[in-house]
Amino acid sequence: MPVAADFTGDRRAELAVYRGGAWWTYNLANNQTNVVQFGIGTDKAVPADFDGDGKIDYAVYREGLWHYLRSSDDGYRVVNFGLASDIPTVGDYDGDGKADPAVYRAGVWYVSGSTQGFFAVQFGIASDIPTAADYDGDGKTDFAVFRGGVWHMLNSQTGVNTLQFGLSNDKPVQAAFVQ
């Protein structure tokens, strides 16, 4: 399973920012900065390991199109999946080690699984904030939403879990900071 924000494949996360169509990464192991021009300023950054090589691929979502640069061979790929108004929610929903393009639209998750193919799941309501992540640790991204300070998770192993954590005006953040 790739480490979040590991653009080099060294199993350590890099610091990364997306600014005006450029990806800036800083490697903490060797104190080096790298800049890659990929995307345009209005794109939504959706970095993930789409090719399953253990490195995060540069990726953006624009007007219903997923653009990504595969780290395994520097190949460029465009996937038409979603609408301009959708919220991209990339993750490994089928547990095969490759990121799957997915979008959240008015309480419905639409997933283009790299193994399973297309599927949709109703979980949430239109005003929810999607917070997909692997909450049960089984290698599959779980469907989850944040609503008014409450996390609602549809875990692939344990079913629905609800947890009050935060305030109604908080912005949810998921991260894996491990040393």
Side-chain angles (χ1 to χ4, degrees):
M1 168 115 32
V3 173
D6 179 6
F7 291 86
T8 62
D10 65 0
R11 306 278 310 142
R12 297 175 68 168
E14 282 80 45
L15 303 179
V17 296
Y18 180 70
R19 181 187 322 137
W23 295 81
W24 293 72
T25 59
Y26 180 77
N27 188 313
L28 296 164
N30 62 17
N31 298 320
Q32 291 188 352
T33 299
N34 188 38
V35 181
V36 173
Q37 181 67 42
F38 187 77
I40 60 175
T42 56
D43 288 341
K44 294 176 183 172
V46 289
D49 185 7
F50 289 94
D51 54 14
D53 68 349
K55 296 179 186 177
I56 300 301
D57 301 315
Y58 300 103
V60 295
Y61 181 77
R62 177 189 321 140
E63 303 289 326
L65 297 174
W66 296 76
H67 301 261
Y68 59 92
L69 184 61
R70 291 186 307 258
S71 55
S72 60
D73 62 3
D74 291 327
Y76 172 71
R77 177 127 194 247
V78 178
V79 175
N80 185 354
F81 189 76
L83 303 174
S85 58
D86 288 341
I87 300 170
T89 59
V90 66
D92 184 4
Y93 292 90
D94 50 21
D96 66 353
K98 295 179 183 177
D100 305 310
V103 296
Y104 182 77
R105 181 187 315 147
V108 180
W109 300 78
Y110 299 93
V111 180
S112 179
S114 50
T115 301
Q116 255 181 289
F118 172 80
F119 63 97
V121 173
Q122 168 67 51
F123 188 76
I125 60 175
S127 59
D128 286 342
I129 299 169
T131 56
D134 182 8
Y135 293 102
D136 56 13
D138 67 349
K140 293 181 181 179
T141 299
D142 301 310
F143 303 101
V145 295
F146 183 79
R147 179 187 318 142
V150 180
W151 298 75
H152 302 269
M153 298 159 277
L154 177 58
N155 296 328
S156 52
Q157 293 293 315
T158 58
V160 176
N161 292 310
T162 302
L163 178 67
Q164 169 71 47
F165 184 76
L167 303 174
S168 61
N169 60 344
D170 285 345
K171 292 182 172 132
V173 178
Q174 306 94 338
F177 296 102
V178 180
Q179 286 198 344

